[in-house]
Amino acid sequence: EAAAGEVGTSGVVPVKSNGNPVETTGAPRFGFSWTEDPVLNSFEIDEGRPPEGPGEVVLDKTTFDDEGFELGERIGVITQQPLREFELVGSASFGEENNLGGAVASLFALETAQRLCDKETEFDTISVRASDGVTTDELIVRIQAVLPEGVEAVSGPSVANEQADEIQSQLSFLTIALPVFAFIAVFVAAFIIFNTFSITVAQRMRQRGLLRAVGARGGQVTRMVLGEAFVVGLLASIAGLFLGLGVAWLLQQIFGAVGFELSTVGLQFEPRTWVVSILVGLVVTVLAAAAPALRASRVPPLAALRSDSAGKAEGKTGGGLVVAGVLATIVGFALFFGSSAFDGLTAIFAGIGVGVLLVFLGVAMLSPALMRPLARVIGWPIRRFAGVAGKLGSENAMRNPRRTATTAAALMVGLALVGVANIFSTSLVASIDKLLDEQFPADLIVRNGDQFALFSPLAASAIAESPGVTDVSQVRPGEVRVDGDTRVVAGLDPTPFSQVYDPDFSEGGWSDLQPGGVLLFDEVADDADVDVGDTVEVVFAQTGGEQFRVDGVFREATLPGTGQDSPTVLMTLPDFERNFTPQQDVAVFANAAEGVDLEEAQAQIEDSLAAFPQLSVENQQEFKESQRDQVNQVLLLVFALLALTIIIAIFGIVNTLALTIFERTREIGLLRAVGL
């Protein structure tokens, strides 16, 4: 029925009337061609009209409203070409929800978009609408028959699923991190539940003894405690389920504030959420209450006659528990430190996780045996300087070591995780600093602030004309297949690049890289089973396979400033230009010329990039700080989740102290009676 060719690219930046580019908190800024067919177009005009001529642009409604643009005004737009002026003729909403996830969209007439993207004779995609009576499968077969080799006809739902899978893959850290934090929270809660039931069982010892005296069997007492745990767990799980909605909304706001705009629809509250949450809550509560329930079943009938039975039912730490704690700790540390020998990241992380869990459990089992001497040492200043109150408080901590240890264990888990997050983030920043100092001697880095979006090679040409700058080196990224695996390739000029980046060559070097050759990351060379001097097939999406000579192998595959997926295949610019269109850079590196002050060279580059206001020029120190900011953004998310664990531990401490105060009502009253 209809077919519409489309092109699009990232790094298309609208510029406000004050000369400042439209900024985002991390989401990309796109440019798309306008599709005339309203059924095939994901955008719908909200105000004004669609773009028609070569000098017209439409902005997405959110950007239009939030940035205060007006219809008919002249605005600047940066593409892979230098800054140009366009007339703003309309605003457009995206989909039913009008939510681009924080991204910015600039829309142009088709021919204008093709020219701006350097794709005058190409489409990225062609959207097709079937005639009446033609099924999707029939249409796919008919279209595939007329397509050139390498181009595929797929259904709309298939494309949507592919894009959803790609987004989910990019957000895989969330799908792993959130269940891990949920497990940690429940793990901490189990300590608190165990402690609470242990205390309440001890407080009701006379009641249990009376029940036994009038004929109740031990099994009945156990079922009574477990029944109580079931009811408490059910009510708490339902309450927690709805409180979780509020926490989910709060996390969504935090993610949006740091640039991870996740939601295009409302919060999803699915039936499986009910089932899983309530089941987990019930199972954890009942299991945590099982040991106190068994202890309650062993209360003798004579306990009904004792007036001092409260607090006596928790027992002493047995030798078996100490042995189990020692074994769990030893095995945990062995797994933690030995997991690096496992095959695959999944196995390594699984080994580390199980090891940490065993260490936590081992320390928790050992804590009651260690609590008395620890409390005696830690409590010495309190006894020494706080008088009678300090002496009584210190002794109360030693009165029931198991209870004190369990209360501390919940806080131990939360604070240990806070320590891990701090240590890891500090180590990551130190690693980045070391990499830059040792392997990346470039004085200045030029890149797009839009999540490593590409930009025109004209920027590198403008930088090279600055008199105080030397060793100007540009990086052009792309994707290829080597030995069946997708790899990131970079085109560059090895002569100036040798002055700004040292990838730690194990064989060969920059001087060996010639046209027709490639430099491979050592893992890529190992996977392809090639050495220096061998040939390897590199497959390009646009030109097909080509044999390249291996001119060198390097060990360091982190090229700062080029994004999360640093290139693992390096080739000369002529080879890259022959196999890729359009030509776009991801970063430009440069050194200050001899005798030129670094600040002066940086200022000269900034002046030369007046037509590219979306590009930032950073020296080494500024680049390090920007990397730290990225780490801190992620750390903010981690600490937001860890805060929940700490809050649970605080509830546990308050709960334990409140119950123990209730347990010692007569004792505290007696202390007040004698003048405390």
Side-chain angles (χ1 to χ4, degrees):
E1 182 71 20
E6 300 150 344
V7 296
T9 187
S10 61
V12 176
V13 186
V15 179
K16 294 180 283 189
S17 57
N18 60 8
N20 294 328
V22 171
E23 301 288 349
T24 68
T25 54
R29 292 168 287 190
F30 293 113
F32 299 112
S33 60
W34 179 264
T35 301
E36 296 293 341
D37 189 300
V39 178
L40 298 177
N41 195 343
S42 300
F43 289 90
E44 182 178 352
I45 291 295
D46 181 71
E47 292 184 58
R49 59 175 176 80
E52 297 173 355
E56 297 180 347
V57 65
V58 168
L59 296 179
D60 69 274
K61 175 176 171 54
T62 302
T63 302
F64 183 89
D65 293 340
D66 292 349
E67 301 295 340
F69 287 106
E70 297 181 359
L71 289 179
E73 71 172 308
R74 305 286 296 179
I75 69 169
V77 178
I78 307 163
T79 62
Q80 278 118 36
Q81 299 176 10
L83 177 66
R84 289 186 51 189
E85 275 199 355
F86 289 83
E87 180 184 357
L88 182 57
V89 297
S91 67
S93 56
F94 178 78
E96 295 180 1
E97 300 292 332
N98 184 38
N99 193 324
L100 282 166
V104 173
S106 303
L107 306 165
F108 308 90
L110 176 59
E111 292 183 358
T112 304
Q114 287 178 307
R115 186 171 62 256
L116 294 175
C117 297
D118 291 331
K119 300 175 181 177
E120 284 89 347
T121 61
E122 300 176 15
F123 293 131
D124 293 324
T125 59
I126 301 175
S127 298
V128 181
R129 178 157 53 92
S131 300
D132 291 340
V134 178
T135 66
T136 301
D137 291 339
E138 290 174 336
L139 188 61
I140 288 175
V141 171
R142 295 179 186 181
I143 293 174
Q144 192 66 58
V146 300
L147 290 178
E149 184 179 355
V151 181
E152 182 183 17
V154 293
S155 67
S158 297
V159 173
N161 290 334
E162 286 178 7
Q163 293 175 343
D165 290 342
E166 183 178 350
I167 293 172
Q168 288 177 352
S169 175
Q170 293 172 351
L171 297 176
S172 60
F173 73 97
L174 282 180
T175 59
I176 296 172
L178 291 178
V180 167
F181 279 106
F183 170 79
I184 292 168
V186 173
F187 182 65
V188 171
F191 283 96
I192 299 168
I193 297 167
F194 170 81
N195 222 22
T196 301
F197 275 93
S198 295
I199 296 171
T200 55
V201 164
Q203 289 174 346
R204 297 201 293 265
M205 187 177 291
R206 293 183 66 191
Q207 177 187 356
R208 311 293 185 207
L210 181 61
L211 287 172
R212 295 299 306 278
V214 297
R217 297 185 301 276
Q220 288 178 303
V221 174
T222 299
R223 289 194 295 274
M224 183 174 66
V225 176
L226 292 179
E228 180 183 352
F230 181 88
V231 173
V232 169
L234 179 63
L235 294 175
S237 299
I238 293 173
L241 185 64
F242 286 98
L243 287 172
L245 270 176
V247 176
W249 178 86
L250 179 62
L251 287 176
Q252 191 179 70
Q253 304 310 306
I254 293 173
F255 275 67
V258 298
F260 296 96
E261 192 79 33
L262 300 180
S263 179
T264 58
V265 294
L267 292 172
Q268 301 299 291
F269 200 38
E270 299 180 357
R272 69 179 182 186
T273 307
W274 282 82
V275 174
V276 172
S277 299
I278 292 176
L279 277 179
V280 168
L282 285 175
V283 170
V284 169
T285 306
V286 172
L287 287 179
L294 289 173
R295 201 176 298 130
S297 70
R298 302 189 184 109
V299 174
L302 286 176
L305 304 178
R306 296 171 57 182
S307 62
D308 61 341
S309 58
K312 302 295 185 182
E314 293 186 59
K316 297 180 179 179
T317 303
L321 192 64
V322 173
V323 172
V326 171
L327 289 176
T329 304
I330 292 173
V331 174
F333 275 118
L335 273 175
F336 182 82
F337 290 109
S339 59
S340 58
F342 297 164
D343 291 330
L345 280 177
T346 302
I348 291 173
F349 283 120
I352 292 174
V354 173
V356 170
L357 182 61
L358 286 174
V359 170
F360 277 135
L361 290 175
V363 172
M365 287 187 283
L366 289 172
S367 294
L370 301 173
M371 189 53 64
R372 285 186 188 275
L374 283 173
R376 188 172 289 111
V377 172
I378 296 171
W380 177 83
I382 301 175
R383 293 193 301 272
R384 177 71 176 78
F385 298 107
V388 175
K391 183 174 185 294
L392 291 173
S394 175
E395 290 178 351
N396 280 330
M398 294 185 284
R399 174 188 296 193
N400 197 318
R402 177 179 295 171
R403 176 188 302 172
T404 306
T406 307
T407 304
L411 187 61
M412 173 189 71
V413 174
L415 292 180
L417 293 171
V418 172
V420 167
N422 271 304
I423 292 168
F424 177 78
S425 62
T426 304
S427 303
L428 181 60
V429 169
S431 298
I432 293 172
D433 289 350
K434 182 179 179 181
L435 170 68
L436 291 173
D437 292 337
E438 294 183 355
Q439 295 180 313
F440 195 68
D443 292 333
L444 298 164
I445 304 169
V446 179
R447 59 193 180 114
N448 198 324
D450 190 4
Q451 290 292 305
F452 306 103
L454 307 181
F455 52 90
S456 170
L458 295 175
S461 301
I463 294 171
E465 294 177 1
S466 301
V469 176
T470 186
D471 302 321
V472 177
S473 309
Q474 55 205 115
V475 182
R476 295 182 189 170
E479 286 190 346
V480 295
R481 284 192 178 274
V482 178
D483 195 39
D485 295 323
T486 300
R487 307 289 185 181
V488 177
V489 63
L492 46 82
D493 185 345
T495 301
F497 224 84
S498 63
Q499 304 301 312
V500 297
Y501 179 52
D502 176 16
D504 190 16
F505 289 102
S506 57
E507 295 182 79
W510 288 121
S511 60
D512 299 303
L513 180 59
Q514 301 295 326
V518 291
L519 303 175
L520 299 180
F521 181 46
D522 54 8
E523 290 183 7
V524 177
D526 290 343
D527 291 344
D529 194 23
V530 293
D531 295 313
V532 172
D534 295 341
T535 59
V536 63
E537 185 181 34
V538 179
V539 181
F540 302 89
Q542 293 172 312
T543 58
E546 183 177 339
Q547 294 293 325
F548 279 82
R549 180 184 63 258
V550 180
D551 287 341
V553 177
F554 56 95
R555 300 187 185 93
E556 180 54 63
T558 303
L559 180 55
T562 58
Q564 295 178 341
D565 297 324
S566 289
T568 55
V569 180
L570 308 177
M571 64 176 54
T572 63
L573 278 175
D575 288 332
F576 187 92
E577 291 169 348
R578 190 175 66 254
N579 290 286
F580 285 95
T581 55
Q583 298 297 312
Q584 302 166 351
D585 293 340
V586 68
V588 179
F589 309 107
N591 288 327
E594 187 175 354
V596 178
D597 182 72
L598 180 59
E599 293 184 1
E600 181 183 349
Q602 186 171 359
Q604 288 182 9
I605 292 179
E606 290 172 348
D607 291 340
S608 69
L609 294 176
F612 300 92
Q614 85 278 24
L615 301 182
S616 63
V617 185
E618 299 171 316
N619 57 38
Q620 282 245 0
Q621 186 58 38
E622 290 169 340
F623 182 73
K624 288 178 183 178
E625 291 174 359
S626 68
Q627 301 306 297
R628 293 190 189 103
D629 290 342
Q630 292 181 22
V631 172
N632 290 336
Q633 280 190 347
V634 176
L635 195 62
L636 176 62
L637 303 179
V638 173
F639 276 129
L641 296 170
L642 288 178
L644 302 178
T645 308
I646 301 297
I647 289 171
I648 295 171
I650 292 172
F651 273 112
I653 295 169
V654 172
N655 188 48
T656 301
L657 290 177
L659 288 173
T660 54
I661 289 170
F662 177 77
E663 181 182 274
R664 297 199 299 268
T665 299
R666 294 182 64 192
E667 174 188 336
I668 294 173
L670 179 61
L671 291 171
R672 295 297 306 280
V674 298
L676 192 68

